[in-house]
Amino acid sequence: LRIKGDDALNALDMLTPRRIDNLIPGQATFVLFTTPFGTVDDEAILLRVLEDEFLLSCGGCKQLSHITDSLKHFSDFIIETTDLISFNIKGPNQKKAMLQLVDIEDRDQIASLSVFAFKSVKSITGHKVFIIRTKIGMEMWGEFEAIHKGWIFMLRNPESYTICGWDILHTYRLECTDISFTLYPLDINCNTSLWDIGCGWMVSNKLCEYVGKNALLDKKSSHEFKLCTLIAMDSTTEQAKVSSSIY
């Protein structure tokens, strides 16, 4: 999705408990949107392209449920679908793998990307793309032709790339040591709050109203469940050893 206009920031600010006004152009962040009941509507990667323009990749691949709430309060912005699609590279050699897909003149920019930063560069086929570095991966966003060409390149170089689907991705997430994952959409859905899934740190002290603010704050002291780290499995008793901490 593309959200742009003088009220673009205000419109997005009404949908999430997370502060996004401190994002500057060229920065990205992970955002959870809330429902009026203080639960999770969707999760997304948000890019601030310009002062008045944002790109949003929703994990649930759906229209934001409560964007109409923003439309009631702000009029100087538009929200539209784009022709952009993406893929995500994970693993210990992710940077090297992504650099092979970028024009040689732009590789220094990508090599020096900090976490949750992005650059608009040319791909090896000359197409304009965005390269985003997240906490555990690197993403390429571009129009169909650019992504298709990149996909073909990866298929032709199996020594550098292993093409995988959701099942392998879930396995990678469980084994990842950089960040603690559970399984979307089992944990992130309209029945869970940010406190339940260990994302209470995202709830800021924003003074402005946002969807579900009071309900979310009321849920802080009442968890439906807690998340713990799986430390090891005891092969003799088949019992799981977990940490006592709650994320």
Side-chain angles (χ1 to χ4, degrees), residues 65-80:
S65 302
H66 303 285
I67 191 68
T68 51
D69 291 277
S70 293
L71 290 168
K72 293 175 184 176
H73 293 83
F74 306 103
S75 58
D76 196 2
F77 78 98
I78 60 172
I79 180 169
E80 58 189 13

Side-chain angles (χ1 to χ4, degrees), residues 71-157:
L71 290 168
K72 293 175 184 176
H73 293 83
F74 306 103
S75 58
D76 196 2
F77 78 98
I78 60 172
I79 180 169
E80 58 189 13
T81 57
T82 73
D83 293 328
L84 299 179
I85 54 177
S86 66
F87 58 79
N88 192 316
I89 297 179
K90 291 181 168 64
N93 298 316
Q94 58 185 257
K95 184 182 292 186
K96 179 181 178 181
M98 184 61 83
L99 287 176
Q100 295 181 61
L101 297 165
V102 174
D103 185 278
I104 191 168
E105 294 183 358
D106 290 331
R107 289 179 182 175
D108 286 346
Q109 296 185 68
I110 303 308
S112 59
L113 270 183
S114 57
V115 175
F116 280 116
F118 69 92
K119 290 288 184 180
S120 176
V121 297
K122 288 191 298 183
S123 69
I124 52 171
T125 54
H127 295 86
K128 178 183 175 181
V129 294
F130 290 105
I131 306 297
I132 303 102
R133 182 182 173 192
T134 65
K135 180 72 174 177
I136 62 163
M138 299 194 74
E139 302 186 8
M140 177 182 284
W141 296 13
E143 294 184 351
F144 174 81
E145 187 64 21
I147 301 302
H148 179 252
K149 294 289 187 182
W151 190 256
I152 295 300
F153 179 88
M154 290 188 288
L155 286 173
R156 290 176 176 171
N157 292 273

